[in-house]
Amino acid sequence: MSVIDIPFECRHICWFCGEPGSTLFNFKAGKNSPHPSLDLPCCTECHALAATSPATSVWEYLDGVKEALIKRYAKHLAIGDNWTREELEASEFSCRILSGFRESGWTMYEIAKGRVNFSPWSLSLDGIALDEHRATHFCFNGLSFGSVGKARDYYQALYGLDREFLTSLINMLGQERFGYALKLAKLYRTAGARDKHRLLRELADETT
């Protein structure tokens, strides 16, 4: 195995999430791998997450780890969807549990968001750069997702939305209007199937 070239300022951090890390993730190249076997510096949590999602390249491992972090810290990330820093600091939470949330909630959100959005340094071995084969990411509300579909799944689970209805809205409105599709899905969260179909028909008429 060969440890990747590590910039001086990154010598003690995880390649996957940017948190302090002191272990190595060993990638063993297979016949379909686009790069040779190599070792990546990482934290113990990302090492465990990567070990559960076999992949053919470190970039596929990276996407798998990011998706796992989003799922694991969904409650922390949701703080940024429901509060601003100022609103949280000005809240009147007084009981022991909620006062702790008021004091540390935004920090928890920023840490989780930073790990999910962390962009690892470019890979090279002995000064020779490795070609990257990463999928195009989708960014919304300050978070980076592996795809618009993964963003849809995250918000569908977060708000308990109708997955088929949200998917139809995104397909109809386009991913550039993802936020509007999400608002409509939340607005119609308790609506019946007839009302949802009526809205989709009206939106279809507007877009033709």
Side-chain angles (χ1 to χ4, degrees):
M1 290 287 184
S2 299
V3 180
I4 61 171
D5 298 334
I6 304 174
F8 181 79
E9 67 275 12
C10 301
R11 64 193 185 282
H12 298 304
I13 68 173
C14 174
W15 185 79
F16 294 98
C17 74
E19 283 289 289
S22 58
T23 187
L24 291 173
F25 176 72
N26 310 119
F27 171 80
K28 295 182 180 180
K31 62 180 181 180
N32 296 320
S33 299
H35 56 74
S37 299
L38 49 81
D39 292 337
L40 295 166
C42 66
C43 64
T44 53
E45 183 176 20
C46 286
H47 187 283
L49 293 174
T52 62
S53 56
T56 61
S57 76
V58 293
W59 295 289
E60 288 182 7
Y61 273 112
L62 176 63
D63 289 339
V65 168
K66 295 292 190 182
E67 183 176 359
L69 288 173
I70 287 174
K71 290 180 179 178
R72 177 170 291 187
Y73 295 104
K75 291 183 179 180
H76 294 177
L77 295 170
I79 294 171
D81 280 301
N82 297 296
W83 303 83
T84 64
R85 180 200 292 270
E86 292 73 23
E87 288 172 339
L88 200 54
E89 291 176 348
S91 65
E92 298 179 356
F93 296 145
S94 57
C95 72
R96 184 173 59 183
I97 294 177
L98 292 181
S99 63
F101 172 69
R102 181 191 63 206
E103 294 169 1
S104 63
W106 194 258
T107 298
M108 293 161 56
Y109 161 69
E110 288 190 322
I111 291 174
K113 177 183 175 183
R115 296 183 72 190
V116 168
N117 288 349
F118 177 73
S119 295
W121 60 92
S122 298
L123 293 181
S124 64
L125 286 172
D126 298 324
I128 301 175
L130 301 180
D131 291 333
E132 294 197 15
H133 298 267
R134 295 186 63 188
T136 302
H137 285 193
F138 174 75
C139 296
F140 177 74
N141 200 25
L143 286 181
S144 178
F145 298 90
S147 67
V148 65
K150 294 186 185 303
R152 174 206 58 202
D153 292 344
Y154 167 75
Y155 285 104
Q156 179 269 323
L158 178 64
Y159 294 113
L161 304 176
D162 181 329
R163 187 176 188 276
E164 182 178 350
F165 180 56
L166 178 56
T167 300
S168 297
L169 288 169
I170 295 170
N171 290 340
M172 187 171 296
L173 297 170
Q175 69 179 42
E176 65 276 4
R177 301 184 72 190
F178 182 90
Y180 183 48
L182 183 60
K183 286 182 179 179
L184 291 176
K186 291 163 67 175
L187 181 64
Y188 277 70
R189 180 164 36 200
T190 59
R194 181 177 299 179
D195 289 333
K196 291 176 181 176
H197 290 155
R198 183 182 298 117
L199 175 65
L200 290 173
R201 287 198 302 270
E202 292 179 359
L203 289 173
D205 291 340
E206 290 179 0
T207 56
T208 56

